[in-house]
Amino acid sequence: MAEESPKLTTQEVVPPTEEQNKTESTIPEPKPTPEPEKKPVENNTLETVTETDVSKPGDDEKVPESGSFKEESTIVGELPEAEKKALQELKQLIQEALNKHEFSAVTTPKQEKSEPEPEPEPTPETETQPPVDDNKKEEQNEQVSETESVVAVTTADDDVSPPQPPPVTEPEKLKEEEEKKETDVAASVDEDGAKTVEAIEETVVAVSSSIPEEPKVVEDSSLEHHQQQQPEEVSIWGIPLLLDERTDVILLKFLRARDFKVKEAFTMIKNTIQWRKEFKIDELLFDENLSDEYLEKTVYMHGYDKEGHPVCYNIYGEFDNKEVYKKTFSDEEKRQKFLRWRIQFLEKSIRKLDFNPGGICTIVQVNDLKNSPGPTKWELRQATKQALQLLQDNYPEFVAKQVFINVPWWYLAVNRMISPFLTQRTKSKFVFAGPSKSAETLLRYIAPEQLPVKYGGLSKDGEFGITDAVTEITVRPAAKHTVEFPVTENCLLSWELRVIGWEVSYGAEFVPSSEGSYTVIIQKTRKVASSEEPVLCNNYKIGEPGKVVLTIDNSSSKKKKLLYRLKTKPSTSD
């Protein structure tokens, strides 16, 4: 059913007072205060921004950000030449590793060419001699067999001194030994014919045991050579390395996490593959059922930001509940279960990303610290630190932005503990906001129709959905703002609106177009307190052309953010 969206007009009525004129003159030209730059903090953007925002919650002129990070391109053609070269070098290293089965060797102790970082489990051969190639190995086996024959002969003759003739005479000695055995066999024929067969069998076995097993060596060597000719297949997040064009996007993540240092990025990839095998990611993703109702309240996905990144909400305040905290962190087993559930949740979220060049392959993380347990909770600190280390080591460049809201005063101390574990690149993605600026900060990055009501948006179950766009208006201090919805045909008009923080007066009325009709009061003007419902919903059945007028009167000394949207439905006749 097609719906018509009426044209919207807005106007603002401002009393011409001197005080208001002074206020208006300062708003269009906000000047950032230089205080944060004067602060003597080195290489710690995270702390500087936190102190600026949290310690000054009353400063409404701007929402500070930590750094000016901009997400780089994942299209190879748009990369600088140096980065293209680094990507090609990394792909060559990975291809060589795949050809040599080095990724499988990470978890196979019998492989000689394993990573130097993991604990090696050398075989007796590797402990006593360096690795040799196949040709040298065959020569070595022959020398060993010849040496064993020489030793067997010399030990039978006590008069022979250690320096013996070269092994060239060995075949002659073997021939004499065989003739002697044949003579013994012939002599035994007259005694017992049955013994002759046994003697022949023993002779054959003795002769064959003295000959080196060259065919087996050749077979083993050919098998190893065949295996080396077939490159192994390794996948990360469901993408086979070098067999899919999405590989470039994956490799760029590791390169950027290591500042395009190719060898370091390669080592990071090998370590990640090893960790994924040890952590049993495939089993975790498809087999384990770790979901729990209380855990699903602590972390969940909801909507997208203005650039299309999926948004993940981490609600630390849920752990303030003693029962929930006990179920999650009371002992090591529970902490490990929570960690595995968190990794499982992340893996499922990553599989929904678009790793095609130019696609959305990162996530926005919103961390709500309201009512979060304080820094005295040792178990939570340990679990957070462990999770942070795993994410940083094995999930590079998956965060487009980290937004911390409702940041309490004690977080500064916790931040100083976490900061050394973070790279400067990671810190540049962080944004912090105190309780008074959390909604404003989130609306800067997430559209109101995508932002949950509890965080300042309009996203909730009801008549409106995430596809119904929201209009944002800033109402100046001591000003009255009106919004008009023109209507030309009979319909049912529905709308919802909210003012962040409220503490304003709100009214609604319908004004007919015909001169002889009367204005209808839909909502009598009244003061809406911040403690009331965050979103007001109204609807009005219109039977003649006219307009619906909403009035927001902001008598406070602070600017207010107004959000609203509407839709029409054809009106059924009575």
Side-chain angles (χ1 to χ4, degrees):
M1 180 174 60
E3 297 182 359
E4 286 186 277
S5 299
K7 298 181 180 179
L8 311 183
T9 60
T10 65
Q11 62 182 13
E12 196 170 315
V13 181
V14 184
T17 62
E18 293 183 3
E19 180 181 355
Q20 177 62 22
N21 290 335
K22 292 180 180 180
T23 306
E24 292 180 6
S25 63
T26 56
I27 291 176
E29 300 179 358
K31 296 182 179 179
T33 57
E35 294 179 7
E37 299 179 0
K38 294 181 179 179
K39 222 163 175 52
V41 179
E42 298 182 359
N43 297 328
N44 203 337
T45 310
L46 204 126
E47 291 184 10
T48 305
V49 173
T50 305
E51 292 178 7
T52 302
D53 193 24
V54 178
S55 61
K56 297 183 179 181
D59 183 10
D60 293 328
E61 289 303 314
K62 72 171 187 175
V63 179
E65 301 177 27
S66 53
S68 55
F69 175 79
K70 183 179 180 181
E71 198 168 7
E72 298 95 340
S73 174
T74 56
I75 301 175
V76 177
E78 298 177 356
L79 299 177
E81 289 301 322
E83 295 182 2
K84 290 181 183 177
K85 182 179 179 182
L87 178 60
Q88 290 303 317
E89 291 177 1
L90 179 57
K91 293 173 75 171
Q92 290 177 2
L93 289 178
I94 291 177
Q95 186 63 69
E96 293 173 3
L98 291 174
N99 293 339
K100 298 177 182 178
H101 290 235
E102 291 185 10
F103 294 109
S104 297
V106 170
T107 54
T108 306
K110 293 183 180 180
Q111 292 285 346
E112 292 180 1
K113 296 181 180 181
S114 59
E115 275 285 319
E117 288 84 7
E119 298 89 348
E121 297 182 11
T123 59
E125 290 79 12
T126 59
E127 291 179 354
T128 56
Q129 61 187 27
V132 295
D133 57 25
D134 294 339
N135 296 331
K136 292 183 178 180
K137 200 170 187 179
E138 293 178 5
E139 294 176 5
Q140 204 172 43
N141 289 337
E142 293 176 359
Q143 291 177 1
V144 170
S145 300
E146 292 173 353
T147 304
E148 290 176 351
S149 301
V150 172
V151 171
V153 174
T154 56
T155 53
D157 190 355
D158 295 337
D159 296 335
V160 181
S161 57
Q164 295 294 324
V168 178
T169 60
E170 179 61 20
E172 298 177 1
K173 292 183 179 180
L174 290 175
K175 191 178 290 186
E176 291 177 3
E177 202 171 18
E178 291 175 8
E179 292 175 356
K180 185 177 179 181
K181 290 180 179 179
E182 288 177 359
T183 304
D184 294 340
V185 170
S188 64
V189 169
D190 298 334
E191 298 178 0
D192 192 349
K195 291 183 179 180
T196 302
V197 178
E198 296 177 359
I200 293 173
E201 291 178 352
E202 291 175 358
T203 303
V204 173
V205 172
V207 173
S208 62
S209 63
S210 63
I211 300 174
E213 297 182 1
E214 294 182 359
K216 288 187 178 181
V217 174
V218 173
E219 289 178 2
D220 293 340
S221 175
S222 62
L223 180 61
E224 292 177 3
H225 183 66
H226 177 71
Q227 290 177 345
Q228 290 179 357
Q229 284 183 334
Q230 298 294 329
E232 63 178 326
E233 294 186 7
V234 177
S235 296
I236 302 182
W237 303 299
I239 299 174
L241 293 181
L242 302 186
L243 300 178
D244 193 301
E245 66 174 356
R246 295 174 293 176
T247 294
D248 291 343
V249 178
I250 296 292
L251 299 186
L252 282 173
K253 289 180 178 292
F254 287 92
L255 283 169
R256 283 169 174 149
R258 291 296 178 263
D259 296 327
F260 282 88
K261 297 176 182 177
V262 178
K263 291 184 178 180
E264 293 184 15
F266 177 65
T267 300
M268 186 181 184
I269 292 175
K270 295 186 73 174
N271 291 340
T272 295
I273 293 173
Q274 178 187 10
W275 172 80
R276 293 178 69 84
K277 290 180 179 180
E278 294 174 353
F279 208 77
K280 300 180 179 179
I281 292 295
D282 290 337
E283 296 179 15
L284 177 67
L285 186 61
F286 301 107
D287 300 333
E288 291 191 43
N289 183 14
L290 301 172
S291 61
D292 199 315
E293 184 178 355
Y294 80 91
L295 287 177
E296 293 173 357
K297 294 180 180 179
T298 63
V299 181
Y300 59 85
M301 305 293 293
H302 186 95
Y304 301 84
D305 76 341
K306 293 180 179 179
E307 297 178 355
H309 302 97
V311 182
C312 177
Y313 291 85
N314 303 276
I315 318 302
Y316 288 87
E318 292 292 330
F319 298 124
D320 194 43
N321 184 300
K322 292 183 179 180
E323 287 298 321
V324 173
Y325 189 90
K326 185 177 180 181
K327 286 182 181 180
T328 311
F329 304 115
S330 60
D331 57 48
E332 182 61 24
E333 182 179 353
K334 290 183 174 62
R335 289 194 291 272
Q336 287 301 316
K337 179 184 176 182
F338 172 76
L339 183 63
R340 289 187 68 79
W341 174 82
R342 187 64 182 86
I343 295 298
Q344 183 189 64
F345 179 89
L346 179 60
E347 284 285 331
K348 290 181 179 179
S349 301
I350 288 176
R351 298 301 175 103
K352 298 177 183 178
L353 296 174
D354 181 8
F355 287 99
N356 288 297
I360 300 296
C361 59
T362 52
I363 299 172
V364 170
Q365 295 277 355
V366 175
N367 305 280
D368 184 5
L369 302 181
K370 184 178 181 180
N371 297 327
S372 175
T376 57
K377 299 292 186 179
W378 178 86
E379 298 86 357
L380 178 59
R381 291 207 319 271
Q382 288 296 108
T384 302
K385 181 179 177 181
Q386 186 178 6
L388 183 65
Q389 194 63 51
L390 283 180
L391 296 178
Q392 187 170 348
D393 291 344
N394 302 291
Y395 295 90
E397 299 299 310
F398 273 102
V399 177
K401 195 168 292 294
Q402 286 271 16
V403 184
F404 292 81
I405 60 174
N406 296 312
V407 179
W409 62 269
W410 54 261
Y411 189 79
L412 294 177
V414 177
N415 171 47
R416 292 188 182 96
M417 287 183 359
I418 298 177
S419 185
F421 297 97
L422 304 176
T423 64
Q424 193 63 31
R425 178 183 177 82
T426 301
K427 296 176 187 179
S428 68
K429 302 178 183 180
F430 284 17
V431 176
F432 293 86
S436 65
K437 300 181 71 175
S438 293
E440 180 183 353
T441 302
L442 290 176
L443 287 170
R444 188 177 284 264
Y445 305 106
I446 305 173
E449 60 268 22
Q450 300 281 348
L451 185 64
V453 170
K454 66 179 293 187
Y455 293 121
L458 292 178
S459 179
K460 62 180 179 61
D461 295 333
E463 184 177 358
F464 292 87
I466 59 175
T467 58
D468 297 312
V470 176
T471 301
E472 301 180 52
I473 297 292
T474 299
V475 183
R476 297 178 179 180
K480 183 181 293 186
H481 192 92
T482 60
V483 180
E484 298 181 356
F485 304 149
V487 182
T488 58
E489 59 184 3
N490 297 350
C491 65
L492 178 65
L493 180 65
S494 301
W495 67 91
E496 61 181 11
L497 80 161
R498 75 177 298 176
V499 175
I500 305 301
W502 284 107
E503 300 299 336
V504 298
S505 296
Y506 160 69
E509 60 185 12
F510 174 70
V511 181
S513 299
S514 60
E515 297 181 359
S517 300
Y518 295 95
T519 298
V520 179
I521 303 298
I522 301 174
Q523 170 64 60
K524 186 178 180 180
T525 302
R526 68 181 183 88
K527 183 73 173 288
V528 183
S530 58
S531 58
E532 295 190 32
E533 287 292 325
V535 180
L536 296 181
C537 302
N538 291 103
N539 58 74
Y540 183 70
K541 188 175 182 181
I542 299 174
E544 59 178 315
K547 61 182 179 181
V548 172
V549 180
L550 306 182
T551 303
I552 303 296
D553 187 0
N554 179 22
S555 59
S556 70
S557 59
K558 296 181 180 180
K559 63 183 179 181
K560 299 287 184 177
K561 176 78 72 175
L562 167 64
L563 310 174
Y564 66 88
R565 58 182 170 179
L566 66 104
K567 64 168 52 178
T568 60
K569 292 181 179 179
S571 177
T572 57
S573 58
D574 295 332

